[in-house]
Amino acid sequence: MTDHPIDHATAPRPTNRLADATSPYLLQHKDNPVDWWQWGPEALAQARATNRPILLSVGYAACHWCHVMAHESFEDDATAAVMNELFVNIKVDREERPDIDQIYMSALQQLGVQGGWPMTMFLDPDGAPFWGGTYFPKEARYGQPAFADVLRTMAQAYVNGDPRISSNREALLQRLTQKARPAGTVVIGPNELDDVASRILGIMDPEHGGVQGAPKFPNTPFLELLWRAWERTGRERFRDEALHALDSMSQGGIYDHIGGGFSRYSVDERWLVPHFEKMLYDNAQLLELLALAANETFHPLFRQRAEETVGWLLREMVTEEGAFAASLDADSEGHEGRFYVWTLKELLAALGAEDAEFFARHYDITPFGNWEGVSIPNRLKGGELSGADEVRLAVLRDRLLAVRETRVRPGRDDKVLADWNGLMIAALARAALRLERPEWLEPAARAFRFVAGSLTRGDRLGHSWRAGRLVFPGLSADYAAMVRAALALHEATGERFYLERATAWSHALDAHHAEIGAGGEAGGGYYMTADDAEGLILRPDSTADDAVTNPNALQARNLAALHAVTGDTAWLARLDRLFDALLPRAAPHLYSHAGLLNALDTRLRAPEIVVVGAGPQADALWQAAGRLPRIDITLSRATSATALAPDHPARAKAEATPGGAAFLCAGQICSLPVTDPNRLTDALSRDSGAS
């Protein structure tokens, strides 16, 4: 690094460049006195031209502490003046540019700092990170330096050529670009999967459910991994721990008991106090598990939470175009959670004394509150109620929802993200089958049509759409999630259009995101960014789960489903090459690769159920198959045996079976015909290829 002073004479006058952004998060900062740039070549060129380091600030619209730091520092003229003098300031929406977020979050963690948002990173003019943190207060407190002091220290260290900056930068880049490729072959099979599940049992909270400690996140890949272990082994404790977590979340304050939907996480170990932002991806992942739990247990709680969550989704999250918005803010009127909390006085005014007392008793609304002087509705105290009492509470919830609608609403980030929409579309389609709610298929199909029509160029996906503007090209997560959505809709409707989309997008993902093997074929995992995307300091290719299952894991499950639906062994070969490349990388850190382990379980044992025939018996078999409480069963239907592929292993048996029949297939072996819908579950548990 050359030791040059900062040339302030060449620095432009402060100009905030966020006014023409499409991201609601960036638009929240368009009136800051900070000289913000959006990420792009122009910003990096400005840093190089003025020899100033870069201050990178990453957040998202629903992030509470992002708002706090913005109010304290980015809206403050004095702090903004320091930022403008010493840095080229770049603001990034992590949901719009998760590739940038992943690169610098990895760098932050390599520095030994626990990641989170807002993320505040200091880069050299070429974009290489040398130091960073998360939230910095305006004034020094609780052992944290004042933000302005951090700014001056980092800028001075850069100007003076502090050798620690150079060593940090080189060490970080070396770690970020290094690919974990342990020598030798890694074997992970059912025994290893069961061992990981057993170890996860050891960190589960026996009292409150979920992973021990606080904060508590839903961690759906862990819950799914436990569920799969129960399916493999029959050990009920695996299933029961997953159900315990779902039950606690469904009764806790992390769930919005008045309006439906789950917040992102709970700040305490009891699931009582949420971080009130609501994210589309959390609710999508939880919806799938709730529908699964409802079918397994027949417990009305899980069905009710699934139906209420869909109710919230369709009431509050559908954009004008028919797709799904990204998130709801945690804050309203400048206070976190104000929209969602209640006082006993408000309850009395809304319901009257008798109903208010009844509701308060069952939802923990107390005179002095259960959180900061107000009450977060919850049902954690449990207790069985009569059917009449539950109906009465439902009526009262509707009345409180009407009152709540008069409050100042939290902000909604209405950008349409292809990956998060894909997750929700798939969840809606699968829940529609499991819970026999066919009316949910239309909003799922409507959102799919918008993404397929407005977030694409040819067979390629973009990532984010808002106000007619598309962020293109898309990321590997967009393809993996939308292929999953297409397969789920194909399964639910039988329409070939969805299978064609799944096939085309999978080919595009391989063409533009796959690591290329020695033979020139798509051989390894998937880079997050496309091969023709704007240049970054590297192409991120993480295989670990984040808040959402890693796209490599999602696409692995898609490849297994494509093989099952089409019979084309090329999809299976691609899947095996993917596992050959990724399992050695995952082996040292299996906990963070739960999504990939779940995909491996799909590869090893996921069955296909084929329903052949037309008429009432075939219809009843199809409906029964859709309700089966098993993860990753592939469902397909053929009107007759001749509609099956000539080499399909069920064809000969179907030709010999008059009337409707179902066949359970694994690999190239199919069961004897099942003609009684009530016997499908028995057939599934008996079949050696599927258990």
Side-chain angles (χ1 to χ4, degrees):
M1 181 177 63
T2 307
D3 183 4
H4 291 307
I6 297 173
D7 185 359
H8 299 302
T10 61
R13 295 179 63 187
T15 304
N16 188 314
R17 298 167 179 80
L18 303 184
D20 63 345
T22 58
S23 159
Y25 174 65
L26 297 191
L27 291 174
Q28 288 174 358
H29 295 270
K30 67 182 177 62
D31 297 320
N32 292 169
V34 177
D35 184 7
W36 287 122
W37 294 73
Q38 296 188 58
W39 182 276
E42 298 84 358
L44 298 176
Q46 180 65 23
R48 288 190 288 268
T50 59
N51 192 34
R52 285 184 293 171
I54 293 167
L55 170 66
L56 175 66
S57 177
V58 182
Y60 56 100
C63 168
H64 170 69
W65 286 103
C66 299
H67 299 328
V68 173
M69 189 168 179
H71 179 67
E72 289 180 347
S73 295
F74 303 152
E75 295 173 10
D76 177 67
D77 289 331
T79 306
V82 177
M83 295 171 65
N84 296 337
E85 178 186 5
L86 300 176
F87 295 91
V88 170
N89 303 291
I90 300 178
K91 176 62 74 174
V92 165
D93 179 346
R94 69 173 294 262
E95 296 167 0
E96 190 174 66
R97 295 300 304 267
D99 49 345
I100 295 171
D101 177 69
Q102 186 180 107
I103 289 171
Y104 294 107
M105 184 61 71
S106 297
L108 185 63
Q109 292 166 346
Q110 294 288 351
L111 286 168
V113 178
Q114 183 174 357
W117 297 277
M119 176 168 58
T120 308
M121 292 298 292
F122 297 92
L123 322 177
D124 72 12
D126 293 318
F130 59 81
W131 198 75
T134 54
Y135 162 78
F136 291 101
K138 181 182 175 183
E139 307 294 340
R141 61 176 181 270
Y142 305 125
Q144 284 188 294
F147 185 46
D149 291 339
V150 172
L151 295 171
R152 294 187 181 97
T153 299
M154 287 297 102
Q156 196 61 42
Y158 177 80
V159 169
N160 294 337
D162 189 324
R164 290 174 297 180
I165 286 181
S166 179
S167 60
N168 270 4
R169 182 188 64 212
E170 292 170 6
L172 283 171
L173 284 177
Q174 182 178 5
R175 291 175 182 176
L176 284 170
T177 55
Q178 183 180 20
K179 298 203 171 31
R181 300 279 197 272
T185 301
V186 172
V187 177
I188 300 177
N191 291 337
E192 289 74 22
L193 294 177
D194 294 344
D195 179 64
V196 173
S198 296
R199 283 185 277 152
I200 288 176
L201 284 181
I203 63 172
M204 299 298 280
D205 186 334
E207 182 177 1
H208 304 296
V211 178
Q212 294 173 13
K216 266 184 158 62
F217 290 83
N219 207 328
T220 50
F222 269 25
L223 302 185
E224 184 180 317
L225 192 147
L226 292 174
W227 193 280
R228 289 170 178 272
W230 167 65
E231 290 183 355
R232 284 192 306 273
T233 67
R235 288 176 56 192
E236 292 185 352
R237 190 185 168 201
F238 288 127
R239 177 200 61 189
D240 291 349
E241 284 293 343
L243 291 172
H244 186 195
L246 287 172
D247 183 277
S248 296
M249 283 185 274
S250 294
Q251 300 289 41
I254 190 175
Y255 182 75
D256 179 2
H257 290 264
I258 306 302
F262 290 85
S263 295
R264 194 163 73 92
Y265 66 89
S266 172
V267 302
D268 66 309
E269 65 178 8
R270 296 177 54 220
W271 301 105
L272 172 62
V273 182
H275 198 20
F276 288 89
E277 62 204 14
K278 289 183 181 178
M279 316 302 292
L280 187 63
Y281 63 79
D282 282 322
N283 285 279
Q285 294 174 113
L286 285 166
L287 176 58
E288 285 214 39
L289 288 179
L290 288 168
L292 191 70
N295 276 17
E296 166 61 23
T297 66
F298 300 104
H299 195 304
L301 172 69
F302 298 125
R303 172 180 280 272
Q304 181 181 349
R305 294 295 180 263
E307 290 175 341
E308 291 169 344
T309 296
V310 174
W312 159 77
L313 174 78
L314 301 183
R315 186 182 65 249
E316 300 187 24
M317 300 300 286
V318 178
T319 69
E320 291 182 4
E321 298 78 21
F324 300 117
S327 65
L328 294 180
D329 206 330
D331 298 10
S332 57
E333 300 182 89
H335 295 273
E336 184 179 9
R338 172 168 285 185
F339 184 73
Y340 299 101
V341 298
W342 296 83
T343 64
L344 192 56
K345 181 179 178 181
E346 289 172 328
L347 217 61
L348 286 164
L351 302 179
E354 183 179 346
D355 284 339
E357 186 279 330
F358 178 76
F359 190 90
R361 177 160 31 98
H362 293 293
Y363 281 94
D364 193 25
I365 313 296
T366 66
F368 299 103
N370 56 29
W371 175 67
E372 297 185 359
V374 294
S375 291
I376 301 166
N378 71 90
R379 296 283 294 271
L380 287 169
K381 292 181 180 179
E384 292 294 326
L385 294 178
S386 68
D389 282 342
E390 289 289 3
V391 170
R392 182 181 176 188
L393 287 173
V395 171
L396 297 179
R397 289 195 302 270
D398 286 343
R399 288 170 60 184
L400 291 176
L401 179 61
V403 171
R404 199 176 76 176
E405 289 297 309
T406 66
R407 297 176 177 177
V408 176
R409 298 188 60 82
R412 186 177 79 159
D413 186 336
D414 61 356
K415 66 176 175 288
V416 177
L417 298 173
D419 52 348
W420 295 5
N421 269 261
L423 293 175
M424 182 55 81
I425 292 165
L428 271 178
R430 290 199 162 92
L433 284 182
R434 291 193 189 282
L435 301 182
E436 296 182 275
R437 297 296 300 266
E439 68 273 21
W440 292 351
L441 290 175
E442 173 49 32
R446 185 178 61 226
F448 185 94
R449 288 194 298 268
F450 180 76
V451 174
S454 296
L455 274 77
T456 57
R457 294 179 184 170
D459 283 338
R460 295 187 65 183
L461 281 161
H463 173 61
S464 174
W465 183 97
R466 185 176 183 274
R469 294 168 62 182
L470 177 64
V471 175
F472 186 89
L475 308 170
S476 57
D478 300 311
Y479 288 93
M482 284 303 299
V483 170
R484 179 172 171 80
L487 289 169
L489 283 169
H490 171 69
E491 183 174 277
T493 68
E495 293 183 23
R496 187 163 184 83
F497 162 74
Y498 295 117
L499 181 58
E500 291 170 351
R501 284 292 85 210
T503 301
W505 286 335
S506 292
H507 286 312
L509 176 61
D510 270 346
H512 295 285
H513 294 262
E515 297 176 356
I516 303 302
E521 77 286 356
Y526 295 102
Y527 291 106
M528 177 179 281
T529 54
D531 53 1
D532 56 353
E534 170 195 309
L536 300 171
I537 60 171
L538 54 89
R539 287 181 78 187
D541 64 344
S542 172
T543 57
D545 297 323
D546 198 342
V548 177
T549 298
N550 184 270
N552 285 279
L554 284 179
Q555 185 61 10
R557 292 166 67 172
N558 293 337
L559 292 167
L562 282 165
H563 169 252
V565 171
T566 66
D568 187 345
T569 57
W571 296 117
L572 196 62
R574 175 67 183 99
L575 174 59
D576 288 339
R577 293 197 301 273
L578 183 68
F579 279 127
D580 287 344
L582 298 189
L583 289 180
R585 297 171 62 177
H589 312 286
L590 290 179
Y591 276 14
S592 61
H593 288 81
L596 193 65
L597 298 183
N598 291 332
L600 178 61
D601 176 66
T602 295
R603 170 67 180 91
L604 294 175
R605 66 182 187 89
E608 177 190 8
I609 292 180
V610 183
V611 176
V612 182
Q617 181 169 301
D619 291 344
L621 287 164
W622 176 254
Q623 292 168 2
R627 294 193 301 269
L628 289 172
R630 281 284 296 266
I631 293 177
D632 275 358
I633 295 178
T634 299
L635 304 180
S636 59
R637 188 167 183 179
T639 54
S640 66
T642 56
L644 293 171
D647 58 348
H648 195 289
R651 178 159 177 164
K653 294 174 183 177
E655 288 174 340
T657 306
F663 300 87
L664 178 66
C665 303
Q668 292 301 307
I669 300 174
C670 290
S671 69
L672 293 172
V674 178
T675 56
D676 181 354
N678 297 319
R679 306 295 293 176
L680 266 178
T681 299
D682 295 338
L684 192 63
S685 62
R686 286 197 310 268
D687 188 84
S688 61
S691 61

